[in-house]
Amino acid sequence: MMMSEQFNEQFSERPFNRLLLTGAAGGLGRVLRERLKPWTKILRLSDIVDIENVVAGEEAQTCDLADRAGVFELLKDVDAVLHFGGISVEDKFEPIMQANILGMYHLYEAVHKLGIKRVIYASSSHVVGFYRTTEQVNADSPLRPDGFYGLSKCFGEALSRYYYDRFGIETVCLRIGSSFPEPKNARMMVTYLSYDDLLELLRAALFTPKVGHSIVFGVSDNQAKWWDNSKAAHLGFKPSDSSQVFATRFAAAFNSVDEHDPAIIYQGGPFVLAGPQYSE
Ligand code: NAI
Ligand code: 15L
């Protein structure tokens, strides 16, 4: 039995009335849509694109995060927000600004004005992508974003810090590494976060009684490590999986790396090179 199943067994009734999941049509949103239901009577699903095949226990609300009135409508009667919506890779500044910067501002204004107490924010390891792969990073390390996308996640982390310091709204910023069914390349042997471990991370972020403003790296218990989660020990996040089960696939890639390639030198991998192609 998975840890999250053991955890779910203790509820005689679902602990939340209504959780909101943004980015629900995306890669992680589709995974979480299935897995969050034991925690909430109603799961409100939102994305800029329509949510399909809505079933009992779900509500769907299409919303562009750049639309302030729409975001306020979206957040009505919500207990907590799992914010996974937005641009998820490097892009031009303008769409990133609309979805990830303006959208974050709208979200937190609505959270504040509607009295919502906690947000779980899908940040990214690309807030520190310009550290070298030989370096260790923790939640207090200075930010070193690797592009406009990483910069927008830095903004999200700082914005949520402000709303905690000023208004007491709790946020857990998840600096997710690479959360896919399995690692796609040698870099992801270090950055991989399994879906089960992602769920365990969300459990820790949602159910730890007091989180204040926390930053935690979303990464499985992989053999090679760049990120030190000791500053987030209060969350009690303990990953169970490891990318090591996929190791044989990438053994050849490790032996043939170009040590002068920035995508190899820096933790952000190919993201460190992507920026200039999007600048106007
Ligand atoms: P994704 O790109 O598959 O999903 C993002 C969703 O946000 C999409 O369905 C998209 O339609 C929606 N969206 C985009 N612009 C929007 C807007 N203006 N208003 C409302 N919705 C909008 O990305 P994925 O992989 O599911 O990631 C989810 C979140 O987790 C993202 O915020 C991403 O930055 C973050 N993340 C994901 C990682 C991963 O390995 N999958 C790693 C690090 C961070
Ligand atoms: C991210 O932040 C992206 O959202 C995701 O698509 C992956 O590219 C991931 O980082 C990564 O670094 O592998």
Side-chain angles (χ1 to χ4, degrees):
M1 191 187 286
M2 286 185 322
M3 206 185 303
S4 53
E5 284 169 340
Q6 281 166 352
F7 174 74
N8 292 344
E9 277 198 345
Q10 66 186 253
F11 301 129
S12 53
E13 69 174 63
R14 299 176 187 216
F16 288 100
N17 281 321
R18 185 178 279 101
L19 287 178
L20 168 65
L21 174 64
T22 67
L28 295 184
R30 278 178 276 130
V31 172
L32 296 176
R33 179 178 179 179
E34 296 313 315
R35 300 207 185 185
L36 294 172
K37 286 181 190 164
W39 299 349
T40 183
K41 293 189 183 77
I42 299 166
L43 182 59
R44 183 174 289 169
L45 303 164
S46 182
D47 203 287
I48 196 170
V49 300
D50 289 344
I51 304 290
E52 309 210 320
N53 306 317
V54 179
V55 298
E58 294 180 340
E59 291 174 346
Q61 217 162 308
T62 305
C63 176
D64 181 346
L65 292 158
D67 168 12
R68 181 186 170 97
V71 172
F72 270 72
E73 197 56 39
L74 180 63
L75 270 82
K76 273 190 188 151
D77 302 320
V78 160
D79 297 326
V81 182
L82 294 96
H83 184 44
F84 281 71
I87 306 287
S88 65
V89 288
E90 191 60 4
D91 204 331
K92 290 187 177 152
F93 186 73
E94 175 67 28
I96 288 181
M97 182 181 73
Q98 293 294 331
N100 296 12
I101 296 182
L102 193 57
M104 261 313 258
Y105 165 64
H106 290 160
L107 189 93
Y108 273 79
E109 277 294 284
V111 161
H112 165 46
K113 302 250 162 73
L114 297 173
I116 297 165
K117 300 277 182 281
R118 190 174 294 192
V119 180
I120 314 303
Y121 170 48
S123 181
S124 170
S125 71
H126 292 286
V127 298
V128 290
F130 257 122
Y131 281 90
R132 289 174 180 258
T133 58
T134 49
E135 291 176 289
Q136 291 287 308
V137 180
N138 70 31
D140 289 344
S141 304
L143 296 171
R144 296 184 74 174
D146 56 26
F148 297 142
Y149 166 68
L151 269 166
S152 75
K153 295 291 184 180
C154 294
F155 174 83
E157 291 193 0
L159 181 95
S160 60
R161 178 81 228 186
Y162 165 67
Y163 277 84
Y164 176 63
D165 288 338
R166 181 66 183 82
F167 304 113
I169 295 160
E170 293 197 304
T171 295
V172 181
C173 299
L174 313 177
R175 288 186 181 168
I176 301 171
S178 306
S179 196
F180 298 104
E182 43 194 61
K184 298 176 185 174
N185 52 44
R187 172 179 169 270
M188 289 193 194
M189 288 299 291
V190 189
T191 59
Y192 175 65
L193 173 68
S194 73
Y195 289 156
D196 286 348
D197 284 341
L198 170 64
L199 201 71
E200 171 55 13
L201 185 58
L202 289 177
R203 185 201 62 72
L206 264 181
F207 292 96
T208 297
K210 190 164 172 18
V211 296
H213 184 267
S214 298
I215 292 174
V216 57
F217 287 89
V219 66
S220 284
D221 187 20
N222 307 327
Q223 200 170 71
K225 297 182 198 314
W226 296 330
W227 307 321
D228 165 9
N229 260 338
S230 55
K231 306 267 175 193
H234 56 285
L235 296 177
F237 167 56
K238 292 209 169 33
S240 306
D241 294 325
S242 165
S243 60
Q244 205 51 28
V245 292
F246 305 103
T248 51
R249 289 190 204 173
F250 304 107
F254 276 114
N255 294 331
S256 59
V257 293
D258 172 0
E259 285 165 12
H260 303 290
D261 179 355
I264 299 294
I265 295 172
Y266 297 105
Q267 296 186 4
F271 279 65
V272 305
L273 295 169
Q277 86 194 61
Y278 293 108
S279 71
E280 292 161 306

